[in-house]
Amino acid sequence: MELPERASGIDEAMGKAYRGSKEWQGLPGVVLTPQKMHLPGILVRYEPAPGIDPSPVVFDSPHSGYDYPGDFDHAVPRDVLRRAEDAFVDDLYEGAPDLGAGFLKALFPRAYIDPNRHEDEIDSDMLSEPWPRPVRASEKSEMGLGLIRRLIKGRVHIYDRPLTVTEIMARIESYHRPYYAELENMLESRVSGFGAVWHVNCHSMRTTGRKGGKSIPRDDFVLGDREGESCDPAFTEFVAECLRNMGYSVQINHPFKGAELIERFGRPLEGRHSLQIEVNRGLYMDEDRIEKHAGFGQLKGDIDQLIGDICKFAKAQVRVP
């Protein structure tokens, strides 16, 4: 398949990423074009269509998936498991390609395997045998929220049996690694075409948190840059100011500073900037019913504006192909 011609160096780089993904070609249900890659049950990648001015920006939604694999074998009801989803976050950011940015979303649920965890961030308490590599200890895995979740809603066990190394490795190979590989392709194509990339890692958070047994209301947005380690703080401040100018309350690095994805891909000294955005679910959905409410449209319009502003910001920082 020939790539459409555009007077932009980004096309060649995107083409290389597209051709590098051809290992998936011919598999059932796979869609593979320069503008869309769909791996059923795993991920969908979108790129700007011909005629849309591309930017060195990529958005990704790793936790909005709800295509539950047949081998999940969970013991809790599905409606309980859905509490772990960042429901509808992919819908909020789906306008990114029309505004010049790439967009990647996971289709599998985070409760099955979490793309925002290191693949060795294993909760050993849920295994039937030792993990064959050094375990990467973390606060999240100790809480039962590691690569493979052990708990939901605080203390409810997801499984009624231990898991084997074989089944966890199968999830890593079939879901976790393809997501990382595709996101890396998207980021590297921008670095090749523009010399730098701005990656926005998209999440949602519950309306309230808990501290000392008390319910604590959360702000509208929380931005995480790992205390300035994953992106230039000027980018974080730019995004915060955009949101505040729209009337939203914003916190930075509290209570969420970002996890594995922005830690892995954010290297600002190399021109690779990764920022996590958490949006308060109360702005757009009924958390108990897991349904959009009347506020969704307003929030999506504001996020479209934010996406456009981020693309303009990024293009102003780099060489124009």
Side-chain angles (χ1 to χ4, degrees), residues 24 27-31 37-44 67 107-108 174-175:
W24 300 99
L27 296 179
V30 168
V31 174
M37 178 180 184
H38 179 201
L39 305 182
I42 303 173
L43 60 83
V44 184
D67 190 342
L107 300 179
F108 55 92
S174 298
Y175 297 88

Side-chain angles (χ1 to χ4, degrees), residues 2 18 31-32 46 55 58-59 74 81 95 106 113 124 129 131 151 163 178 186 210 223 229 238 252 263 304 310 316:
E2 293 297 320
Y18 157 67
V31 174
L32 182 57
Y46 299 95
S55 68
V58 173
F59 290 81
H74 51 83
L81 272 185
I113 188 168
S124 300
E129 55 194 322
W131 189 243
L151 302 174
L163 302 186
M186 296 175 76
R210 297 195 69 81
L223 307 182
E229 293 182 357
F238 172 80
I252 297 176
E263 181 179 5
D304 282 344
I310 289 173

Side-chain angles (χ1 to χ4, degrees), residues 165-295:
V165 168
T166 298
E167 62 187 313
I168 292 177
M169 286 303 302
R171 296 183 192 188
I172 291 173
E173 293 282 354
S174 298
Y175 297 88
H176 193 272
R177 288 180 181 172
Y179 189 86
Y180 270 77
E182 199 55 40
L183 180 55
E184 184 172 31
N185 280 342
M186 296 175 76
L187 299 177
E188 290 305 312
S189 72
R190 268 86 183 165
V191 173
S192 296
F194 290 97
V197 65
W198 281 260
H199 164 223
V200 182
N201 182 230
C202 307
H203 299 266
S204 68
M205 59 186 173
R206 294 192 64 83
T207 303
T208 60
R210 297 195 69 81
K211 186 175 183 180
K214 296 181 179 180
S215 180
I216 308 295
R218 286 178 173 156
D219 286 271
D220 297 328
F221 286 87
V222 175
L223 307 182
D225 63 9
R226 300 191 64 81
E227 307 294 346
E229 293 182 357
S230 67
C231 71
D232 186 337
F235 179 50
T236 306
E237 289 297 334
F238 172 80
V239 174
E241 190 64 19
C242 288
L243 291 168
R244 288 172 182 144
N245 288 341
M246 295 177 193
Y248 294 108
S249 61
V250 182
Q251 284 283 347
I252 297 176
N253 289 315
H254 179 76
F256 306 108
K257 67 178 182 178
E260 178 66 19
L261 284 165
I262 69 167
E263 181 179 5
R264 176 177 294 198
F265 293 115
R267 300 190 295 276
L269 295 180
E270 300 175 17
R272 293 166 167 83
H273 305 273
S274 289
L275 176 69
Q276 177 177 288
I277 295 186
E278 296 268 1
V279 60
N280 191 312
R281 294 173 187 165
L283 293 173
Y284 70 93
M285 66 175 280
D286 181 319
E287 292 185 79
D288 294 324
R289 298 168 63 90
I290 314 182
E291 295 177 353
K292 297 174 186 176
H293 62 48

